[in-house]
Amino acid sequence: MNDDIVLSLGSNIGNREFYINKAIQLLGSDANILIDKVSNFYETSPVGNVKQRHFVNIALKIATTYTPEKLLAVIHQVELSLHRTREIHWGPRTLDIDIIFWGDKKMSTDDLTIPHPETFNRLFVLVPILEIISKQFPFYQHISKQIQVLQKKDQTVSLIKKDAQPKRLVESSIHNILSAIGDDPDRPGLVETPDRVARMYDEIFSSEGLENFEDYKLFKSKSSNHSKMVLMKNIPFYSMCEHHMMPFWGKAHIAYIPDHGTIIGLSKIPRLVDFVSHKLGLQEKLTDDIVDQLNKILAPKGAAVVIDARHMCVEMRGVKKTDSSTRTIRFSGIFDTDQDLQMAFLNSIGDINGKSI
């Protein structure tokens, strides 16, 4: 098994530590990869003169039976599974994993250069690496000297203390809230609640900071000037209102008219609903986001979305009107101009009680 392999991981979109921790988990679950050491988390200033949020970076020291090329392929799969997004070089990304060192090995192919060509120009790469390697590591002296050089330039790297990491901040906040409402956060029934809430937030807010839905495949079908409506109704969703941070939930009904025979896999439409709903928002914005994402992905002749939802901020507090439901509607393209098409769609899904209009 090859050892002394060093990886650099970085993120600056959404829950940055969550994406990095998830990547570590995925790499560590591979039977051909052994994670030896993990550095602390560091917040670093962006490079490349691109205005963006600060990055979180770490370094991993691993051993593996893979070749460099095979490890790179595994890394790309991990990035893909975490919906890696990067529209421009040095730009914002959900996750970036690079192979930095492979012991004292040097190689250069069309897809991979080791050591990574930017290694000795980036303080955010070198500082975490120095933390996890020994003085016997082939490039130890070079790394130490280059850190001193780069610290005199405009790059900044600061250690993120464990109690300042997002999960710890959520846990601390929930602990304080429990105390503030008059309960005892240390009693048996509540002592694990802050941890449970933090882990829950990772799940229900998993799309925070992400702008583009990436988890889809497009297909070509026979195109004609009489493309039929593609309709999927009664797609369940759960989301959180940004006004009170209380749940709203219901069903989405989505239709589009393909253009040039381009269609999206049916299983991806519910995933799109999950993507837009796993963040703080409003029902009105959720409706708009689904239409906007469909237009961006498919460029259809038209799209239609109806969302029927119940809101806990209406039913549990304030007016306390139980069983009330809210419907939002958005049309685009030919759905927006063709009233017969609108009625065909609306009659297909029925009213809030499932009856035809």
Side-chain angles (χ1 to χ4, degrees):
M1 179 172 279
N2 297 308
D3 53 13
D4 277 348
I5 299 161
V6 176
L7 310 181
S8 177
L9 288 72
S11 173
N12 77 329
I13 294 179
N15 189 335
R16 301 167 297 175
E17 286 90 340
F18 169 76
Y19 286 116
I20 291 175
N21 279 322
K22 190 66 177 176
I24 295 171
Q25 178 186 336
L26 291 172
L27 290 169
S29 65
D30 190 310
N32 296 288
I33 297 174
L34 175 65
I35 295 178
D36 181 18
K37 291 183 180 180
V38 182
S39 76
N40 282 304
F41 285 72
Y42 291 85
E43 189 166 57
T44 67
S45 56
V47 297
N49 297 317
V50 178
K51 187 177 181 180
Q52 56 187 312
R53 186 183 182 192
H54 277 48
F55 278 82
V56 168
N57 291 96
I58 70 160
L60 292 183
K61 184 171 175 288
I62 70 169
T64 182
T65 57
Y66 287 136
T67 64
E69 294 82 1
K70 176 59 179 175
L71 179 61
L72 182 64
V74 171
I75 285 171
H76 287 165
Q77 284 300 312
V78 170
E79 292 175 331
L80 183 63
S81 71
L82 293 175
H83 313 307
R84 169 185 162 95
T85 300
R86 182 171 69 173
E87 296 182 353
I88 58 173
H89 189 58
W90 295 122
R93 68 212 75 171
T94 49
L95 182 68
D96 197 22
I97 307 175
D98 290 311
I99 302 174
I100 305 299
F101 295 114
W102 200 284
D104 59 0
K105 185 180 181 67
K106 294 183 180 181
M107 64 175 291
S108 182
T109 67
D110 291 341
D111 299 321
L112 184 61
T113 300
I114 298 175
H116 191 283
E118 293 292 338
T119 296
F120 294 103
N121 297 323
R122 305 302 176 198
L123 192 62
F124 63 81
V125 172
L126 298 179
V127 169
I129 288 176
L130 190 65
E131 183 183 312
I132 62 172
I133 60 173
S134 69
K135 292 183 178 180
Q136 286 71 45
F137 188 80
F139 297 94
Y140 182 89
Q141 293 300 326
H142 191 178
I143 292 170
S144 299
K145 291 178 181 179
Q146 193 62 15
I147 287 175
Q148 296 178 22
V149 172
L150 294 174
Q151 284 176 332
K152 298 176 182 178
K153 298 186 177 182
D154 58 357
Q155 297 182 39
T156 61
V157 176
S158 57
L159 177 69
I160 301 177
K161 296 181 179 179
K162 290 188 182 298
D163 60 0
Q165 293 179 15
K167 185 174 184 294
R168 296 293 181 89
L169 288 175
V170 171
E171 291 174 353
S172 175
S173 298
I174 297 300
H175 187 280
N176 290 337
I177 289 172
L178 291 171
S179 179
I181 64 174
D183 213 322
D184 177 8
D186 296 317
R187 68 177 173 84
L190 292 180
V191 69
E192 295 181 4
T193 295
D195 173 68
R196 284 192 289 260
V197 172
R199 287 186 284 111
M200 178 187 71
Y201 278 5
D202 277 342
E203 179 181 349
I204 66 176
F205 297 131
S206 60
S207 295
E208 281 291 350
L210 303 183
E211 298 296 328
N212 299 316
F213 178 61
E214 305 283 350
D215 187 17
Y216 66 89
K217 286 186 178 180
L218 300 182
F219 303 91
K220 285 291 184 180
S221 65
K222 291 184 179 179
S223 178
S224 73
N225 292 325
H226 305 286
S227 299
K228 300 296 189 293
M229 181 192 308
V230 179
L231 168 65
M232 183 173 284
K233 63 181 183 177
N234 296 325
I235 304 169
F237 76 90
Y238 302 87
S239 193
M240 294 284 278
C241 172
E242 65 184 40
H243 289 164
H244 298 97
M245 288 189 72
M246 295 186 75
F248 67 96
W249 73 99
K251 293 180 179 179
H253 317 282
I254 301 172
Y256 69 94
I257 307 294
D259 195 14
H260 301 297
T262 302
I263 60 175
I264 187 171
L266 289 178
S267 67
K268 306 306 180 184
I269 296 177
R271 291 188 184 184
L272 169 58
V273 175
D274 283 345
F275 173 80
V276 299
S277 61
H278 284 188
K279 59 179 74 176
L280 285 173
L282 302 171
Q283 181 175 338
E284 297 88 340
K285 185 175 186 302
L286 194 66
T287 310
D288 288 339
D289 285 348
I290 294 173
V291 172
D292 293 344
Q293 291 290 340
L294 277 176
N295 286 333
K296 187 182 299 184
I297 294 166
L298 277 171
K301 291 180 180 178
V305 173
V306 166
I307 291 181
D308 298 322
R310 293 172 60 181
H311 295 251
M312 288 304 293
C313 57
V314 173
E315 298 191 26
M316 190 175 177
R317 60 163 300 280
V319 294
K320 298 180 181 177
K321 299 298 183 183
T322 58
D323 293 328
S324 62
S325 184
T326 301
R327 169 166 282 191
T328 48
I329 304 172
R330 166 86 184 273
F331 298 121
S332 72
I334 59 175
F335 274 104
D336 202 28
T337 57
D338 189 328
Q339 290 190 351
D340 290 338
L341 195 58
Q342 290 180 17
M343 290 306 299
F345 168 68
L346 293 172
N347 274 315
S348 294
I349 65 173
D351 67 10
I352 291 176
N353 297 310
K355 299 176 182 178
S356 295
I357 298 173

